[in-house]
């Protein structure tokens, strides 16, 4: 993988024995602006180190991912070592470690969403966009990844774009979604505000309110599933799910014929666990042969 | 079983006006729904009386363990000269769990009112909401609600009475399931990797910044204002003797109408399914979780189990977060368990060897089942590995990882056997999808 040697980007393969130079600092105007933000964040906490997670969101809002420069900035603001900051930055999945797209499209492939169609959506998007997990389209617009349960199981299958909810997706609706994002068309989530870029989202996560008019109010109190019990309690009949919850079937909502026009021979197990582990030595596959001899043991 | 009307079986309290325009604003909460009236009553009581009141009401933690909330508050040492902290666990990440996020999206002020009451009770002047980062729409509403509360004088200077200030900080996490575990959450809030701490000392003695700390789930704290305002007798009139009160049940999966159903504790899955339209047409329930993937799965034999702490416990599982994930007969149990196990392996923080290594090897073996490479001995092997994780790690993530293995082997051992010796998964995943039956329902006459 090639990475442009721009400021602060973590080298992909540091050479053994040659320690990397300290990360360069931000330009002074950027530094000044970020310091003001950082001081505001630090003031929220009785102990400054608590500001580290929001500060990492803040530097991510500056560059789109957490760079060595950003880590150095956090370390200096909090009087930590860069190693301490790096240890935290690499623990949490929301901090990106390489340049990525304006829109992070996350398909939930935890069990319930996967079973309800998340696996099919993720496979379809990989094929449609020509990228794999945690990869970005050539135009720099969309980074595709699979995500874990996002607390919206009553809206399964769920796709998140920059951490706004796109509920009850299908392969067709998800394909339309990424096409719209790449074409620059306005995209509105099922629950959440009209999309802003990944960097702007990171700034909200650092604790700075979204100032856009209407952003907080957008999409109301909740979708039909959120209100399902309340409506029943008020004596309304349950709607029943005779049609797809996204509305009347249009061309984009036609039932399955999945890409490739054939049923997958088996669903993929996972997308982020290393597949070549115990089985990485072809001479010693981890699985048994299809017809093991009597008493044969693996070890 | 007699079928009662949903109006009688359900009891919307927290969700009572989610359908109103601007439900999330202070205006709607305060002016029209008795908002902050529980707070007024609580502030008129001495702190210890508030703790005793919540304890008498019998409110139990809604985050999974069901520990009595009032008792947790009571553990905070009083008269020590240390600051006390309240930390609200809004890191809702347990697979299947989806109650706190809609609650905070539509009704954040119920949480803020509960926080103020709790801080009065435990004599705290600084509270934190640790919200998982991946839910930006909820973060926006929390930012607004906290700002409104400050502007209304409900938070800030003299919020708890003359000379008693209260600060509330909203803190967004950064993506880690383990931070839902209370001690890992505290480490994360201190700006560290989210790894669980060895207990004792418990957070009530040495929590955030080594000071006495209460960590409560969102729904537990949000339930306090109504409890105080309407009274403990009313609260105890709902639910059962040992599990009183109302709670949010989250129905999801292959059901006709997934969603949030707020009811007294002790309702059954059969009642919830009957009133909500049942499983999706033409299918039957195969297995379900009572409270997220970490609670042992149950089957259609357990439809009449009362969904309270004792009832689900007696059925060999746990009430957990009341995340009722329902899967029908098109779903492969081995596939479901494999995916959950991959989740636990991905989310294991790596601190404890049994969990870190055990979940990894479980994934390898389960993938062998799915691809047909497993043999009969592997069934015992996954059972054995799960046994070596269960109860042998600092926190409950390891126990949670073992749950789906044990419970699926208990009820669906034959399904593992059907995967053996080159056969692999016999199910077609396309039949489980949300849209699998659309063709049928749209054109029923085709088959006639």
């Amino acid at each position: 993988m090639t990475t442009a040697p721009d400021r602060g980007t973590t080298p992909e393969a540091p050479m053994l024995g040659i320690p990397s130079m300290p990360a360069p600092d931000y330009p002074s105007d950027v530094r000044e602006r970020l310091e003001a933000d950082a001081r505001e964040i630090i003031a929220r906490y009785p102990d400054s180190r608590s500001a580290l997670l929001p500060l990492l969101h803040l530097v991510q809002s500056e560059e789109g991912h957490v760079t060595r420069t950003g880590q150095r900035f956090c370390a200096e603001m909090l009087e930590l070592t860069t190693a301490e900051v790096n240890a935290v930055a690499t623990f949490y999945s929301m901090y990106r470690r390489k340049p990525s797209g304006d829109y992070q499209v996350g398909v939930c492939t935890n069990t319930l969403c996967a079973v309800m169609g998340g696996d099919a959506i993720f496979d379809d998007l990989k094929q449609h966009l020509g990228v794999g997990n945690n990869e970005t389209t050539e135009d720099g617009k969309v980074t595709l990844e699979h995500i874990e349960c996002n607390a919206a199981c009553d809206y399964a299958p769920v796709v998140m774009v920059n951490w706004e909810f796109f509920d009850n997706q299908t392969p067709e609706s998800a394909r339309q979604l990424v096409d719209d994002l790449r074409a620059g068309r306005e995209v509105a989530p099922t629950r959440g505000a009209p999309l802003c870029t990944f960097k702007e989202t990171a700034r909200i996560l650092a604790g700075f309110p979204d100032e856009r008019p209407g952003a907080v109010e957008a999409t109301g109190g909740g979708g039909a599933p959120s209100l399902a019990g309340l409506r029943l309690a008020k004596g309304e009949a349950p709607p029943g799910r005779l049609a797809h919850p996204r509305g009347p079937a249009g061309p984009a909502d036609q039932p399955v014929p999945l890409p490739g026009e054939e049923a997958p021979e088996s669903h993929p197990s996972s997308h982020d666990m290393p597949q070549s582990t115990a089985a990485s030595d072809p001479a010693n596959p981890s699985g048994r042969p299809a017809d093991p001899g009597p008493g044969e043991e693996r070890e | 079983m007699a079928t009662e009307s949903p109006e009688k079986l359900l009891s919307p309290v927290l969700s009572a006006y989610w359908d109103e325009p601007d439900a999330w604003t202070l205006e709607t909460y305060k002016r029209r729904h008795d908002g902050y009236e529980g707070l007024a009553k609580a502030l008129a009581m001495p702190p210890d009386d508030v703790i005793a009141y919540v304890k008498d009401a019998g409110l139990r933690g809604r985050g999974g363990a069901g520990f009595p909330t009032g008792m947790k508050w009571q553990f905070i040492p009083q008269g020590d000269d240390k600051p006390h902290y309240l930390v609200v666990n809004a890191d809702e990440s347990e697979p299947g769990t989806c109650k706190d996020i809609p609650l905070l999206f539509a009704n954040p002020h119920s949480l803020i009112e509960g926080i103020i009451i709790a801080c009065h009770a435990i004599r705290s002047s600084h509270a934190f909401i640790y919200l998982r980062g991946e839910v930006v729409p909820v973060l926006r509403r929390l930012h607004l609600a906290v700002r409104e509360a400050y502007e209304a004088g409900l938070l800030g200077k003299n919020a708890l009475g003359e000379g008693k200030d209260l600060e509330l900080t909203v803190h967004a996490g950064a993506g880690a399931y383990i931070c839902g575990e209370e001690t890992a959450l505290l480490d994360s809030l201190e700006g560290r990797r989210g790894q669980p701490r060895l207990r004792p000392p418990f957070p009530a003695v040495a929590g955030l910044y080594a000071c006495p700390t209460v960590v409560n789930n969102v729904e537990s704290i949000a339930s306090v204002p109504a409890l105080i305002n309407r009274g403990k007798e009313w609260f105890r009139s709902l639910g059962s003797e040992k599990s009183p009160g109302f709670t949010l049940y989250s129905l999801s999966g292959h059901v006709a109408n997934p969603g949030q159903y707020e009811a007294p504790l002790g309702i059954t899955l059969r009642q919830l399914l009957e009133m909500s339209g049942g499983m999706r047409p033409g299918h039957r329930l195969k297995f379900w979780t009572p409270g997220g993937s970490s609670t042992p799965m149950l089957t259609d034999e357990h439809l009449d189990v009362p969904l309270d702490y004792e009832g689900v416990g007696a059925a060999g599982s746990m009430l957990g977060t009341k995340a009722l994930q329902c899967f029908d007969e098109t779903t492969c149990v081995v596939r479901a368990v494999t995916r959950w196990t991959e989740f636990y392996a991905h989310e294991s923080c790596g601190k404890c060897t049994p969990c870190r290594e055990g979940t990894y090897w479980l994934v390898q073996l389960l993938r062998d089942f799915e691809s047909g490479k497993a043999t009969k001995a592997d069934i015992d092997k996954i059972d054995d590995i799960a046994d070596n994780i269960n109860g042998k790690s600092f926190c409950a993530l390891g126990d949670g990882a073992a749950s789906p293995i044990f419970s699926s082997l208990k009820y669906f051992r034959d399904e593992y056997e059907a995967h053996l010796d080159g056969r692999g998964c016999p199910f077609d995943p396309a039949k489980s999808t949300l849209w699998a039956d659309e063709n049928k329902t749209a054109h029923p006459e085709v088959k006639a």
Side-chain angles (χ1 to χ4, degrees), chain A residues 28-44:
Chain A
S28 59
D29 58 324
V30 175
R31 167 104 193 182
E32 204 175 311
R33 179 164 47 78
L34 289 178
E35 270 190 21
D37 288 339
R39 277 192 292 271
E40 191 183 326
I41 293 170
I42 292 166
R44 293 178 205 147

Side-chain angles (χ1 to χ4, degrees), chain B residues 171-215:
Chain B
H171 181 94
Y177 166 67
I178 189 65
C179 293
E181 196 282 330
E182 63 175 6
T183 60
L185 185 152
L186 293 174
D187 259 33
S188 178
L189 185 52
E190 289 180 2
R192 297 165 194 280
R193 293 163 76 90
Q195 294 189 313
R197 301 173 180 175
L198 188 60
R199 282 160 293 194
F202 289 92
V205 175
L208 188 63
Y209 313 127
C211 293
T213 304
V214 167
V215 184

Side-chain angles (χ1 to χ4, degrees), chain A residues 50 92 234 241 267 269 277, chain B residues 19 189 209 342 360 370 434:
Chain A
S50 286
Y92 296 95
K234 286 181 168 183
R241 198 192 260 178
H267 45 84
S269 257
T277 47
Chain B
D19 57 342
L189 185 52
Y209 313 127
E342 286 166 349
Y360 171 86
E370 284 288 80
L434 178 63

Side-chain angles (χ1 to χ4, degrees), chain B residues 206-235:
Chain B
L208 188 63
Y209 313 127
C211 293
T213 304
V214 167
V215 184
N216 277 145
N217 171 258
V218 168
E219 193 191 343
S220 315
I221 292 286
S223 299
V224 171
L227 183 167
I228 302 248
N229 191 35
R230 299 199 206 175
K232 62 185 177 190
E233 294 73 23
W234 165 79
F235 190 79

Side-chain angles (χ1 to χ4, degrees), chain B residues 143-339:
Chain B
H143 281 155
L144 173 75
V146 170
R147 193 166 69 233
E148 285 180 326
Y150 268 104
E151 283 165 3
L154 296 160
L155 294 170
K157 206 105 192 108
N158 299 325
L160 299 176
E162 199 54 39
K164 286 189 263 182
D165 306 343
L166 176 58
E167 300 297 328
L168 175 56
T169 303
V170 179
H171 181 94
Y177 166 67
I178 189 65
C179 293
E181 196 282 330
E182 63 175 6
T183 60
L185 185 152
L186 293 174
D187 259 33
S188 178
L189 185 52
E190 289 180 2
R192 297 165 194 280
R193 293 163 76 90
Q195 294 189 313
R197 301 173 180 175
L198 188 60
R199 282 160 293 194
F202 289 92
V205 175
L208 188 63
Y209 313 127
C211 293
T213 304
V214 167
V215 184
N216 277 145
N217 171 258
V218 168
E219 193 191 343
S220 315
I221 292 286
S223 299
V224 171
L227 183 167
I228 302 248
N229 191 35
R230 299 199 206 175
K232 62 185 177 190
E233 294 73 23
W234 165 79
F235 190 79
R236 280 202 165 275
S237 74
L238 300 167
S240 61
E241 168 77 28
K242 288 182 174 166
S243 301
F246 53 89
T247 196
L248 285 162
Y249 291 97
S250 310
L251 206 52
S252 64
H254 293 127
V255 295
N257 285 293
Q260 307 300 319
Y261 296 83
E262 197 172 5
L265 280 157
I267 199 170
T268 65
L269 181 60
R270 187 187 301 279
Q271 287 171 317
L272 283 166
L273 284 175
E274 273 178 2
M275 74 169 78
S276 68
M279 298 298 287
R280 59 178 181 167
H283 296 275
R284 57 180 176 75
L285 178 66
K286 180 176 175 184
F287 64 100
W288 56 289
T289 68
S293 59
S294 301
T295 59
M297 67 174 67
L298 299 173
T299 68
D300 57 0
E301 293 165 36
H302 306 98
L303 276 164
D304 296 314
V305 169
L307 295 172
D308 57 20
Y309 299 98
E310 291 71 32
V312 182
S317 186
M318 292 181 297
L319 183 62
T321 55
K322 303 133 322 166
L324 308 166
Q325 308 176 84
C326 301
F327 297 90
D328 70 18
E329 82 290 345
T330 63
T331 315
C332 171
V333 172
V334 179
R335 177 191 180 198
V337 172
T338 303
R339 190 58 59 88

Side-chain angles (χ1 to χ4, degrees), chain A residues 218-238:
Chain A
T219 67
S226 297
L227 306 177
L230 177 58
R231 287 185 173 150
L232 271 184
K234 286 181 168 183
E236 296 170 32

Side-chain angles (χ1 to χ4, degrees), chain B residues 57-81:
Chain B
L59 173 63
R60 298 175 64 173
R62 303 291 193 238
F67 193 81
T69 304
M71 207 179 286
K72 231 180 193 180
W73 295 1
Q74 201 179 30
F75 287 153
I76 296 291
Q78 298 299 341
D80 56 345
D81 285 324

